[in-house]
Amino acid sequence: MVPFLSVLTVLLAIGLVMQVIRNRNLLRSHGADQQRQKSEHESALRGLESEHFAILNALSDPLFLIDQEGMVVFVNSLGADLFPHRSLLNQTVEAVFYDDRLSGPIRESLEHQADVTTKVILPQQVSQSGHSGETVWIINAGPIRSDSSPNLTRVIIRDATTEHQTEQVRKDFVANASHELRTPLAIINGYLENLLDDDMLDDPGSARRFLTVMRKHGNRIARIVEDMLVISRLESGEAGNLKMKPFNLEACVQDVCERLESMINSQRAKVCIKGQDKKLILLGDRFYWTQVLFNLVENALKQNPKVPLKVEIGWEKTKDGSLQIWVRDNGVGIPSSDLPFIFRRFYRVEKHHSQIEIKGTGLGLSIVKRAVEAHGGEIEVSSTPGDETRFDMTLPESAIVLDEEKDRNPSLAGRK
Ligand code: ADP
């Protein structure tokens, strides 16, 4: 059964609307001598009517009432919003819903006087939740059974696009995660078979070589699982997942550069820190900010082993008070066709990985995006391959600890 939260309210309100319709019919049959009473009744009825229509208009789902001939006799305001600039009342179901996939189940309910609930996927539409492309609707149509009123059929249409997409993302995640884990597991199992079944244990040289490869792939599995757990913690949105404390941004950046020092040195890359205010104190979870900056700088290094690479990590307060943090490099860059997908889980630029060994989990930028968003910020990427690739993060003013607060609490101005 479809979880229509408001079904009880709908039925109640529909009952009241039908009462209004019935009372109207009664009034028509009154004689002329009852004019005064009639006008009193009419004004009371109008009050009742507007109250009941207000209830139906307040429903969170579009609602239509259809008569026996298949004509629309009532539509609430969300229903009218679905078809802007069109008159809907006294139109047939087919004229209003236009698409057979929508009008079909309603006709079926009318003809068989039965409840019909169905999910309809429409391509190239814009849904109420603002999604464009494929949209998903759940239609629930059914007769309203009553002894005293005209036979009406209620039609409730719910926009299920967001749920559908979330479900799709979850399915893709499970499929991608299984795929990513399967490769290193198959390699480990292959080497284990060699070691045990082919008696390689008697050959210490080969055994050591096999075990080294197995350790590498074991580490890869551990890293994928660790990254997935970080994403899941960030996505669960629990407030306790972020340990918000003031910390010095420059110290965090230095920390990241130290961790990547051997890679920076072996590639002879130049890394420059360009912070407008070296004493800037950020209110955030330093663990996640270290991870964000680490992933971005490591990506620049990983993708450009041969390029004479320059990486810049910088920050500045903008005129509107927000904080801009960026990481940019002059490496091979990201093709424009890949840019829209770069923050997706497990997404890698095909061009960067077809010839060489896969270097990352494909989860680094997903973690970066979710961590920035968990701090109330946004991240954007732009790239001109071979010239400049930039990741720009914008944080709200509330993320900066102001000087007055530092004065009140001098320990905040410390660097570590
Ligand atoms: P990975 O773990 O594979 O690095 P990410 O999510 O961090 O995964 O990055 C996704 C892909 O984006 C990378 O595989 C790489 O192809 C591309 N990429 C990210 N940053 C850069 C960069 N600075 N320069 C070029 N390509 C990049």
Side-chain angles (χ1 to χ4, degrees):
M1 196 170 130
V2 185
F4 289 118
L5 270 180
S6 48
V7 135
L8 215 66
T9 331
V10 175
L11 293 178
L12 183 73
I14 290 170
L16 295 171
V17 168
M18 289 193 327
Q19 180 73 30
V20 169
I21 295 169
R22 197 168 62 237
N23 286 352
R24 262 196 203 146
N25 292 342
L26 273 176
L27 275 173
R28 278 195 203 107
S29 66
H30 278 299
D33 54 333
Q34 293 169 319
Q35 267 310 323
R36 190 181 51 79
Q37 270 183 344
K38 185 179 168 187
S39 72
E40 274 173 18
H41 270 119
E42 267 181 342
S43 90
L45 195 59
R46 270 195 298 278
L48 206 59
E49 195 174 32
S50 68
E51 202 175 293
H52 297 154
F53 287 160
I55 294 174
L56 290 181
N57 282 331
L59 293 177
S60 55
D61 293 316
L63 168 86
F64 299 78
L65 295 181
I66 318 285
D67 72 9
Q68 281 163 299
E69 271 71 52
M71 308 294 272
V72 176
V73 293
F74 174 81
V75 52
N76 72 353
S77 51
L78 277 182
D81 289 349
L82 279 184
F83 307 99
H85 319 300
R86 276 173 54 188
S87 67
L88 306 173
L89 291 181
N90 300 318
Q91 303 290 320
T92 62
V93 164
E94 285 72 19
V96 168
F97 292 96
Y98 204 58
D99 194 301
D100 285 353
R101 283 166 292 189
L102 295 170
S103 60
I106 303 172
R107 270 286 165 205
E108 192 187 326
S109 168
L110 278 166
E111 276 166 24
H112 300 100
Q113 285 294 293
D115 271 330
V116 174
T117 300
T118 186
K119 188 182 193 178
V120 177
I121 300 179
L122 297 177
Q124 300 308 325
Q125 301 271 326
V126 178
S127 80
Q128 282 176 300
S129 46
H131 294 289
S132 57
E134 204 173 63
T135 60
V136 180
W137 305 90
I138 292 186
I139 302 184
N140 170 255
I144 302 162
R145 301 188 204 285
S146 161
D147 304 335
S148 52
S149 51
N151 271 345
L152 292 178
T153 293
R154 63 158 207 286
V155 177
I156 301 170
I157 298 190
R158 194 162 59 86
D159 183 354
T161 310
T162 309
E163 282 154 59
H164 179 78
Q165 285 181 344
T166 311
E167 179 62 8
Q168 205 54 44
V169 167
R170 196 191 60 76
K171 281 185 191 158
D172 289 351
F173 186 48
V174 173
N176 287 332
S178 316
H179 177 77
E180 292 292 328
L181 291 170
R182 201 184 292 144
T183 312
L185 266 178
I187 294 171
I188 291 174
N189 283 336
Y191 279 99
L192 272 176
E193 253 171 51
N194 281 167
L195 278 174
L196 296 173
D197 300 346
D198 303 341
D199 283 335
M200 287 294 202
L201 285 170
D202 297 335
D203 173 358
S206 301
R208 172 165 282 279
R209 204 160 37 84
F210 285 9
L211 287 169
T212 310
V213 178
M214 283 162 64
R215 181 171 62 186
K216 189 176 125 198
H217 290 279
N219 286 341
R220 179 164 175 77
I221 292 175
R223 194 166 164 197
I224 294 173
V225 171
E226 186 52 41
D227 280 357
M228 289 196 309
L229 285 173
V230 172
I231 291 190
S232 141
R233 271 200 298 274
L234 285 168
E235 284 187 347
S236 76
E238 284 169 32
N241 283 337
L242 287 190
K243 296 188 176 54
M244 302 292 273
K245 281 192 184 152
F247 66 90
N248 179 276
L249 180 58
E250 203 212 1
C252 179
V253 173
Q254 294 282 11
D255 193 11
V256 168
C257 293
E258 271 166 35
R259 288 185 198 197
L260 288 165
E261 198 174 356
S262 69
M263 212 172 163
I264 294 171
N265 289 341
S266 68
Q267 281 185 223
R268 296 205 187 131
K270 285 201 173 75
V271 178
C272 115
I273 302 174
K274 218 173 175 184
Q276 179 199 42
D277 172 5
K278 302 259 183 258
K279 290 191 179 143
L280 190 120
I281 303 288
L282 205 62
L283 181 64
D285 189 322
R286 184 169 171 162
F287 168 82
Y288 285 115
W289 276 109
T290 307
Q291 193 145 12
V292 165
L293 296 166
F294 184 94
N295 285 353
L296 293 176
V297 179
E298 192 201 28
N299 270 348
L301 292 163
K302 261 191 325 193
Q303 303 305 331
N304 299 289
K306 296 205 180 80
V307 181
L309 191 72
K310 282 192 199 144
V311 184
E312 182 182 289
I313 310 159
W315 62 91
E316 68 180 16
K317 282 188 224 171
T318 60
K319 284 196 187 98
D320 66 2
S322 58
L323 178 68
Q324 203 80 32
I325 306 176
W326 65 87
V327 174
R328 66 185 182 119
D329 69 71
N330 63 340
V332 291
I334 303 167
S336 56
S337 55
D338 289 287
L339 281 179
F341 314 109
I342 206 76
F343 292 108
R344 282 193 189 168
R345 292 181 281 205
F346 298 112
Y347 191 85
R348 296 191 193 92
V349 177
E350 204 58 42
K351 208 173 125 238
H352 295 164
H353 297 287
S354 51
Q355 306 297 328
I356 47 171
E357 196 185 353
I358 293 174
K359 296 174 191 164
T361 61
L363 292 169
L365 288 180
S366 307
I367 293 177
V368 167
K369 185 170 163 54
R370 279 162 184 80
V372 172
E373 287 173 354
H375 284 85
E378 284 172 8
I379 182 162
E380 280 174 14
V381 56
S382 62
S383 182
T384 311
D387 185 14
E388 184 185 62
T389 298
R390 278 189 79 105
F391 288 88
D392 282 290
M393 293 159 275
T394 310
L395 285 178
E397 203 173 356
S398 55
I400 307 172
V401 178
L402 300 173
D403 289 341
E404 303 89 76
E405 273 174 70
K406 282 190 243 165
D407 291 342
R408 276 201 300 275
N409 186 355
S411 68
L412 292 182
R415 300 198 47 183
K416 287 255 173 182

